[in-house]
Amino acid sequence: MFEAAELGKTLSKREYDKLQPRLQETLLEAHLEIKKAGLPVIIIISGVSGSGKAELLHRLNEWLDPRGVDTHAMWQESDEEEERPLYWRYWRRMPAKGRVGIFLGSWYTKPIVDRVYGRNKKRDPRDAMDRVRAMEEMLSNDGALIIKLWFHRSRASQKTNLKSLSRNPKKKWRVRPADWENFRRFDDFMRISEDALRHTDSGSAPWHVVDAFDRRYRELTSGQIILQSIQDRLKALPKREPVNLPPAFTVKVKGRGPDTILDAVDLRQRLNEREYEKLLKEHQAELSRLVWQSNKRGRSSVIVFEGWDAAGKGSAIRRVTGAMDPRLYQVIPVAAPTDEERAHHYLWRFWRNIPRDGKLVIFDRSWYGRVLVERVENFATPEEWQRAFLEINDFEEQLTEHQTMVTKFWLHISKDEQLRRFKERKATAAKRYKITEEDWRNRGRWDAYKLAVNEMVEHTSTGPAPWTLVAGNDKKFARIQILRTLCENLRRGL
Amino acid sequence: MFEAAELGKTLSKREYDKLQPRLQETLLEAHLEIKKAGLPVIIIISGVSGSGKAELLHRLNEWLDPRGVDTHAMWQESDEEEERPLYWRYWRRMPAKGRVGIFLGSWYTKPIVDRVYGRNKKRDPRDAMDRVRAMEEMLSNDGALIIKLWFHRSRASQKTNLKSLSRNPKKKWRVRPADWENFRRFDDFMRISEDALRHTDSGSAPWHVVDAFDRRYRELTSGQIILQSIQDRLKALPKREPVNLPPAFTVKVKGRGPDTILDAVDLRQRLNEREYEKLLKEHQAELSRLVWQSNKRGRSSVIVFEGWDAAGKGSAIRRVTGAMDPRLYQVIPVAAPTDEERAHHYLWRFWRNIPRDGKLVIFDRSWYGRVLVERVENFATPEEWQRAFLEINDFEEQLTEHQTMVTKFWLHISKDEQLRRFKERKATAAKRYKITEEDWRNRGRWDAYKLAVNEMVEHTSTGPAPWTLVAGNDKKFARIQILRTLCENLRRGL
């Protein structure tokens, strides 16, 4: 879930100085409406240590009306708190209706830290997350708006960060010994945090992972997320109170660095014919071996292909299946649902096609349609596609718990390359059937799809079922990347 | 959660023959509207073995239009099913929109049986229930109506039942060896089932516990619950489809035997002055010891008093506190919420007053107001008070997990006795302030309150935090019963 926040985005001082006053102004207006509407707002700031969480807390106190804000830096439990059930300390700090409560450190901290350090083994740590979910659902049912921010830094940037802070005499105090101790367990922290986020990424209280590399970028992005969440909620309120919507102004925080995780894919990667033929042969041979082996061990696989129109899904799938015994696999092309499928929950058609032990199913498009085409084309309501992240993660968790190996590919190409291929198809009689009006329409919504793909990866690229972004401008390179990834995943899983 | 279903209610053949045709007719009409509305309906029949679950399945197939019903008697997993994730077998059987799927044996069976027999220790069994909850929430979000019936029999009646079946040559085959094996673990089954029900008793998919002692009573009651659930859902549908509500006819299944669990309380129990004085002294002395002991061990207590107006809560509380060192306890009288309390979640005011370790808090009325006065007076919507059962159980579970001992009393008196006391109060100058217009108004809603109390006990009397129904017509008897129960609970908890 964190890959999309490892782009190291930055924002220039000039840009910041231009946007910041407008953001502040709109936030202040939004804050006024919160009071009028009697809306309790809970803002949770979490993430890796030393990533600027406390700085944001200060900033929010500048941006909002401090008379309406309660700030809670949750530190050690007091003895008053230790002598009561765990959640007492949070309940006593709950914001009243019309107030904003900002929590630095929250009900997430203790379960995550306990699990990293192997404390509190008595209870399944996932249990703690289910309690969190129940708690947030309860508050949300009661009308509270819950905004959850996760500040992320990559391992490398975190190391540089801690080192440079330690060297700076003025900032040295900010690094506690615990921060280095935590850094030694960085990978554990990430794995366990991801698990925690995944189980609490609900429609009513979704997570927002923020690239925390640069102060200006992360603060403005956080402010923008908070503003957007408040605006969305105010809009959805029943029209009892005379609440005015703050101006629909949204700050476009672009920042330097790749715009989305898709832009970070190096599309210049290519293979020449000779390399390609050689690697194809090698990888197909290995894949064939691995698929037989997983059959013998009774292990099943699910492989998902998603990607831009004309990105080469079909031909890539043929290179994959070319290496397999037809008795072992099945390809499920996913188009518009049948009548029967439409009469069921959207996941039903995919459950139908789950492989038996030892078999392999390739989905040519998949359940991710819910958060891609259905989202962009408004076939699903925001509420529906937002809660789909949790539903999909739960679905894939059930697969991986059953020891099914899950591999997911997004075939990425540039917008120019897509145009080139569309034109080529139009010109080639045999390929003309492959290009439709719809393809051109989808192309018109490229940016909306890009945003949706980015969020899809942010919310559903998980430890047990990660996404692989394929550099697809060169079909040969793409096919080899797919075969290689697949072999690696099977090898690791077996 | 099962006490309310141990009344052993019966229905005469005459009554059954009178009601059954009308129920069937209305159910058929409701079924027609289900189809029109495209509503998927999932009916789960669970409960103790040999309690007539399969019989109900047959009956429902008679009562509904069999062309619109899918019946699933879930038995052993097939090899097809074993080779896929656990829920695959349920997904393939999900009813389509407009159809009714009846499940005999469901996603509840395996986790409960596994836990009773100590199988599958790898995973926290509560985890399984959280998955169930997520699943039901997902289906419900998608528009499905989920009706969950639990057939209960008391231990004694279950034994008689199995014996008489075994003796009857025609019915002998219905008793499998596993049924006796299950019976030997009856108490484990009940404890674990209660835990499962408690964690899945959500507002969107609530449990209905049915007294299964008598065939006619349980079948008609089940039919009535199903009809009511369908009617409520059809009413709540957005008015897109031309759906007609089936006639508002509801079958009043009274049955013989006590009407509610309150009617099963023997209000004739009395104590004479001498016995009372002696027992009062003894119990107060023991309570005093126990309260000091729990203080030394750092164990806290929460005691809840609820009951009819004029049932004697105040004087009973004074007999309890009379035995305690004032430094150790606090009494929280709960009246209408303050402005500050009203600005928070309804549980907030109770979290405020949770005792520290070693201390004791007595709530004179409590969070149960949500499912009593707020329900009856329509201060809370049906959705709000229905989900409160889960919220309250979760709240009390957090208390008991913190080793806080929870004791809950409902002070019961007869309607006549209440009238007598009201009149007496009116006549006594010193007590006149105690009786208000509101008391008379509440009295007018006696039956609505009785129903609410019955459901409250059904949904929130749990292993770790059970309800005690106090026979309050004789104040002396009531006080001794309270002191005795309290001493027992503290002794057991310490």
Side-chain angles (χ1 to χ4, degrees):
Chain A
M1 298 182 72
F2 301 125
E3 302 95 315
E6 296 200 339
L7 303 175
K9 296 186 76 163
T10 59
L11 193 72
S12 71
K13 186 163 182 316
R14 222 183 96 220
E15 189 82 354
Y16 181 87
D17 290 343
K18 201 180 82 194
L19 293 172
Q20 189 271 338
R22 293 168 65 193
L23 177 66
Q24 175 169 13
E25 197 181 309
T26 327
L27 267 175
L28 257 176
E29 287 187 57
H31 195 181
L32 205 71
E33 300 304 323
I34 286 171
K35 275 184 232 172
K36 277 205 253 162
L39 180 72
V41 178
I42 297 165
I43 300 177
I44 292 178
I45 311 176
S46 304
V48 301
S49 37
S51 59
K53 300 191 292 281
E55 280 176 302
L56 178 65
L57 188 78
H58 296 313
R59 196 70 65 232
L60 288 176
N61 268 295
E62 288 168 26
W63 287 349
L64 299 164
D65 175 359
R67 289 166 302 177
V69 176
D70 308 310
T71 310
H72 308 289
M74 305 298 286
W75 202 243
Q76 297 296 323
E77 285 182 83
S78 71
D79 58 350
E80 273 271 346
E81 289 170 346
E82 263 173 20
E83 295 195 357
R84 288 181 171 95
L86 184 63
Y87 275 33
W88 186 75
R89 60 192 313 231
Y90 305 114
W91 274 97
R92 63 196 297 220
R93 292 176 171 91
M94 281 298 160
K97 286 178 180 141
R99 295 189 68 81
V100 177
I102 307 178
F103 291 84
L104 185 64
S106 63
W107 38 81
Y108 290 96
T109 319
K110 196 175 146 61
I112 290 176
V113 175
D114 278 357
R115 194 161 157 201
V116 169
Y117 285 92
R119 292 192 286 256
N120 201 358
K121 291 211 170 148
K122 224 173 44 190
R123 290 195 68 185
D124 191 319
R126 201 173 286 163
D127 231 36
M129 284 307 122
D130 285 310
R131 171 141 295 153
V132 165
R133 211 158 105 181
M135 165 89 161
E136 292 179 349
E137 196 187 311
M138 183 170 67
L139 294 170
S140 163
N141 276 337
D142 193 51
L145 169 62
I146 305 173
I147 306 172
K148 303 188 292 192
L149 301 171
W150 184 272
F151 275 16
H152 180 70
R153 299 189 73 121
S154 69
R155 195 177 203 292
S157 103
Q158 173 69 348
K159 192 170 180 180
T160 323
N161 179 34
L162 286 177
K163 271 193 182 159
S164 92
L165 284 174
S166 308
R167 273 199 222 101
N168 185 331
K170 279 189 195 147
K171 293 188 174 167
K172 216 169 155 178
W173 59 272
R174 279 179 53 190
V175 181
R176 298 164 301 143
D179 290 334
W180 278 110
E181 180 56 35
N182 287 348
F183 178 71
R184 266 187 290 280
R185 297 170 189 250
F186 190 85
D187 293 341
D188 287 340
F189 258 106
M190 286 308 103
R191 188 174 44 80
I192 287 161
S193 300
E194 187 208 275
D195 196 61
L197 267 59
R198 186 150 45 95
H199 281 93
T200 54
D201 189 23
S202 63
S204 51
W207 274 105
H208 303 275
V209 179
V210 176
D211 188 338
F213 178 73
D214 173 66
R215 182 183 64 76
R216 288 187 290 261
Y217 178 80
R218 71 177 173 247
E219 287 182 3
L220 235 55
T221 303
S222 302
Q224 168 61 27
I225 290 167
I226 292 168
L227 177 60
Q228 189 67 50
S229 307
I230 295 172
Q231 280 176 326
D232 288 349
R233 174 58 65 90
L234 288 175
K235 236 179 276 173
L237 282 183
K239 290 279 162 289
R240 285 172 310 188
E241 302 290 322
V243 172
N244 303 311
L245 284 183
F249 158 74
T250 53
V251 180
K252 283 265 175 280
V253 184
K254 293 269 294 192
R256 256 165 310 192
D259 206 18
T260 67
I261 193 163
L262 287 181
D263 299 293
V265 176
D266 181 2
L267 287 175
R268 289 163 309 180
Q269 298 175 94
R270 335 207 128 258
L271 281 178
N272 66 38
E273 192 65 30
R274 239 191 48 212
E275 292 169 311
Y276 170 67
E277 291 296 346
K278 181 169 160 278
L279 289 169
L280 182 67
K281 221 174 281 172
E282 284 176 19
H283 287 315
Q284 284 191 327
E286 191 186 1
L287 183 58
S288 171
R289 267 197 311 277
L290 286 164
V291 168
W292 269 115
Q293 202 180 339
S294 58
N295 178 262
K296 261 182 224 139
R297 301 213 186 152
R299 296 284 302 279
S300 53
S301 275
V302 162
I303 304 168
V304 170
F305 281 90
E306 294 278 357
W308 297 106
D309 291 327
K313 286 192 295 293
S315 62
I317 290 174
R318 281 195 297 281
R319 297 315 179 283
V320 170
T321 54
M324 299 180 194
D325 188 310
R327 288 166 299 181
L328 298 184
Y329 76 87
Q330 215 185 340
V331 178
I332 309 289
V334 175
T338 65
D339 278 2
E340 198 189 358
E341 288 168 344
R342 218 187 298 271
H344 285 90
H345 191 274
Y346 75 94
L347 283 175
W348 182 79
R349 58 200 296 222
F350 305 107
W351 271 101
R352 286 180 102 173
N353 290 302
I354 292 304
R356 293 184 74 150
D357 287 349
K359 299 295 177 71
L360 199 141
V361 169
I362 297 171
F363 288 94
D364 184 355
R365 301 201 187 272
S366 69
W367 43 94
Y368 283 100
R370 187 74 163 182
V371 296
L372 296 171
V373 55
E374 291 193 41
R375 169 183 177 172
V376 174
E377 306 288 344
N378 290 319
F379 299 154
T381 66
E383 208 197 332
E384 281 172 341
W385 62 256
Q386 257 160 18
R387 69 167 181 257
F389 292 130
L390 192 72
E391 291 165 353
I392 286 173
N393 281 332
D394 187 55
F395 168 51
E396 291 179 2
E397 189 179 274
Q398 292 190 53
L399 297 179
T400 54
E401 276 175 9
H402 184 74
Q403 304 293 316
T404 302
M405 297 175 280
V406 179
T407 312
K408 305 183 290 196
F409 296 107
W410 175 265
L411 266 70
H412 183 48
I413 51 174
S414 68
K415 206 173 169 185
D416 290 346
E417 175 64 19
Q418 190 187 48
L419 185 63
R420 204 190 56 72
R421 293 190 189 177
F422 276 14
K423 284 184 179 156
E424 187 187 274
R425 285 182 175 186
K426 229 172 139 186
T428 318
K431 286 186 175 174
R432 208 168 291 150
Y433 76 96
K434 284 175 101 177
I435 183 134
T436 65
E437 271 305 306
E438 208 187 318
D439 292 327
W440 287 100
R441 215 183 50 229
N442 289 346
R443 186 175 159 76
R445 305 207 169 121
W446 184 275
D447 287 343
Y449 273 102
K450 201 163 97 170
L451 181 71
V453 173
N454 199 54
E455 280 192 25
M456 171 186 84
V457 174
E458 183 180 318
H459 289 270
T460 63
S461 191
T462 62
W467 274 102
T468 300
L469 304 181
V470 178
N473 269 14
D474 180 48
K475 286 199 172 190
K476 293 192 283 295
F477 182 87
R479 290 169 195 164
I480 297 300
Q481 189 187 353
I482 287 167
L483 285 165
R484 199 184 52 230
T485 309
L486 199 48
C487 288
E488 279 167 9
N489 282 4
L490 291 183
R491 226 182 298 123
R492 203 177 321 123
L494 285 171
Chain B
M1 297 183 71
F2 301 125
E3 302 94 314
E6 295 201 340
L7 303 175
K9 296 185 76 164
T10 60
L11 193 71
S12 71
K13 186 162 182 317
R14 223 183 98 220
E15 190 82 353
Y16 182 87
D17 289 343
K18 202 180 84 194
L19 294 172
Q20 191 270 337
R22 294 168 65 193
L23 177 68
Q24 175 169 12
E25 195 181 311
T26 328
L27 266 174
L28 257 177
E29 287 187 58
H31 195 181
L32 205 72
E33 300 304 324
I34 287 171
K35 274 184 233 174
K36 277 205 253 165
L39 179 72
V41 178
I42 297 165
I43 300 177
I44 292 178
I45 311 176
S46 303
V48 301
S49 39
S51 60
K53 301 191 291 283
E55 280 176 301
L56 179 65
L57 189 78
H58 295 313
R59 196 69 65 233
L60 288 175
N61 267 295
E62 288 169 24
W63 288 348
L64 300 164
D65 176 359
R67 289 166 303 176
V69 176
D70 309 309
T71 310
H72 308 289
M74 305 298 286
W75 201 242
Q76 297 297 324
E77 285 181 85
S78 72
D79 59 349
E80 274 270 346
E81 290 171 344
E82 261 172 23
E83 295 193 359
R84 290 182 170 95
L86 183 64
Y87 274 33
W88 187 74
R89 62 193 311 233
Y90 305 114
W91 275 95
R92 64 196 298 219
R93 292 178 170 90
M94 282 298 162
K97 286 177 182 142
R99 295 190 68 82
V100 177
I102 307 178
F103 290 84
L104 186 64
S106 63
W107 37 82
Y108 290 96
T109 319
K110 195 174 146 60
I112 290 176
V113 174
D114 277 357
R115 195 162 157 200
V116 169
Y117 285 92
R119 291 193 286 256
N120 202 357
K121 290 211 171 148
K122 224 173 46 189
R123 290 196 67 187
D124 191 319
R126 203 174 285 164
D127 232 37
M129 285 306 122
D130 286 310
R131 171 141 294 153
V132 165
R133 211 158 105 183
M135 164 89 160
E136 292 179 350
E137 195 187 312
M138 184 171 67
L139 294 170
S140 163
N141 276 337
D142 194 50
L145 169 62
I146 305 173
I147 306 172
K148 303 189 290 192
L149 301 171
W150 185 272
F151 275 15
H152 181 69
R153 299 188 72 120
S154 68
R155 194 179 205 292
S157 104
Q158 173 68 349
K159 193 170 178 179
T160 323
N161 179 34
L162 285 178
K163 271 194 184 160
S164 92
L165 284 175
S166 307
R167 272 199 224 100
N168 185 332
K170 279 189 194 148
K171 293 187 174 169
K172 216 168 153 180
W173 59 272
R174 280 178 53 190
V175 181
R176 299 164 301 144
D179 291 333
W180 279 110
E181 181 56 34
N182 287 349
F183 179 71
R184 268 187 289 280
R185 297 170 188 250
F186 191 84
D187 293 341
D188 286 341
F189 258 107
M190 286 308 103
R191 187 174 46 77
I192 286 161
S193 299
E194 187 208 276
D195 196 61
L197 266 60
R198 186 150 47 93
H199 281 93
T200 53
D201 189 23
S202 64
S204 51
W207 275 104
H208 304 275
V209 179
V210 176
D211 188 338
F213 178 74
D214 174 66
R215 183 185 63 77
R216 288 187 291 260
Y217 177 80
R218 72 178 174 246
E219 286 182 3
L220 234 56
T221 304
S222 302
Q224 167 61 25
I225 290 167
I226 291 168
L227 176 60
Q228 188 68 49
S229 307
I230 295 172
Q231 279 176 327
D232 288 350
R233 174 58 64 92
L234 288 175
K235 236 178 276 172
L237 283 183
K239 290 279 160 291
R240 287 173 309 189
E241 302 291 320
V243 173
N244 304 312
L245 285 183
F249 157 74
T250 53
V251 180
K252 284 265 175 279
V253 185
K254 294 269 294 192
R256 256 166 309 191
D259 206 18
T260 68
I261 192 162
L262 288 181
D263 299 293
V265 176
D266 181 2
L267 286 175
R268 288 163 309 180
Q269 299 175 94
R270 333 207 130 256
L271 281 178
N272 66 36
E273 192 65 30
R274 238 190 53 209
E275 291 169 313
Y276 170 66
E277 290 297 344
K278 181 168 160 283
L279 289 169
L280 182 67
K281 219 174 282 173
E282 283 176 20
H283 286 315
Q284 284 192 327
E286 191 187 0
L287 183 58
S288 171
R289 266 198 312 278
L290 286 165
V291 168
W292 269 115
Q293 203 181 338
S294 60
N295 179 262
K296 260 180 225 142
R297 301 213 186 152
R299 296 285 301 281
S300 54
S301 274
V302 162
I303 304 168
V304 170
F305 281 89
E306 293 279 358
W308 297 106
D309 291 326
K313 286 192 294 294
S315 62
I317 291 174
R318 280 195 298 281
R319 297 315 179 284
V320 169
T321 56
M324 299 179 194
D325 188 309
R327 288 167 299 183
L328 298 184
Y329 76 87
Q330 216 185 338
V331 178
I332 309 288
V334 175
T338 65
D339 278 3
E340 198 189 358
E341 288 168 345
R342 218 187 298 275
H344 284 91
H345 191 274
Y346 76 95
L347 283 175
W348 183 78
R349 58 200 297 222
F350 305 107
W351 271 101
R352 287 180 102 173
N353 291 301
I354 291 303
R356 294 184 73 152
D357 287 348
K359 299 297 177 70
L360 199 142
V361 169
I362 296 171
F363 288 95
D364 184 356
R365 301 200 187 273
S366 69
W367 43 94
Y368 283 99
R370 188 72 163 184
V371 295
L372 296 172
V373 55
E374 290 193 42
R375 168 183 177 173
V376 174
E377 306 288 344
N378 289 318
F379 299 154
T381 66
E383 208 196 333
E384 282 171 339
W385 62 255
Q386 256 159 19
R387 70 170 180 257
F389 292 130
L390 192 72
E391 293 166 351
I392 287 173
N393 282 331
D394 187 55
F395 168 50
E396 292 179 0
E397 188 179 275
Q398 292 191 52
L399 297 179
T400 54
E401 275 175 9
H402 184 73
Q403 305 293 315
T404 302
M405 297 175 279
V406 179
T407 312
K408 305 184 291 195
F409 295 107
W410 174 265
L411 267 70
H412 183 48
I413 51 174
S414 67
K415 206 175 170 184
D416 291 345
E417 175 64 19
Q418 190 188 48
L419 186 64
R420 205 189 57 70
R421 293 189 189 178
F422 276 13
K423 283 186 179 155
E424 186 188 273
R425 284 182 176 188
K426 227 174 143 185
T428 319
K431 286 186 174 176
R432 209 167 290 149
Y433 78 94
K434 285 176 100 174
I435 183 136
T436 65
E437 270 305 307
E438 208 187 318
D439 292 327
W440 287 101
R441 214 184 52 231
N442 290 346
R443 186 174 158 76
R445 306 211 167 117
W446 184 276
D447 286 343
Y449 272 102
K450 202 163 96 169
L451 181 72
V453 173
N454 198 54
E455 279 192 26
M456 170 186 84
V457 173
E458 183 180 318
H459 289 270
T460 63
S461 193
T462 63
W467 275 103
T468 300
L469 305 181
V470 178
N473 269 13
D474 180 48
K475 286 199 172 189
K476 293 192 285 293
F477 182 86
R479 290 168 194 165
I480 298 301
Q481 188 188 353
I482 287 168
L483 284 165
R484 200 185 54 230
T485 309
L486 200 47
C487 288
E488 279 167 9
N489 282 4
L490 291 183
R491 227 182 295 124
R492 201 175 326 121
L494 285 171

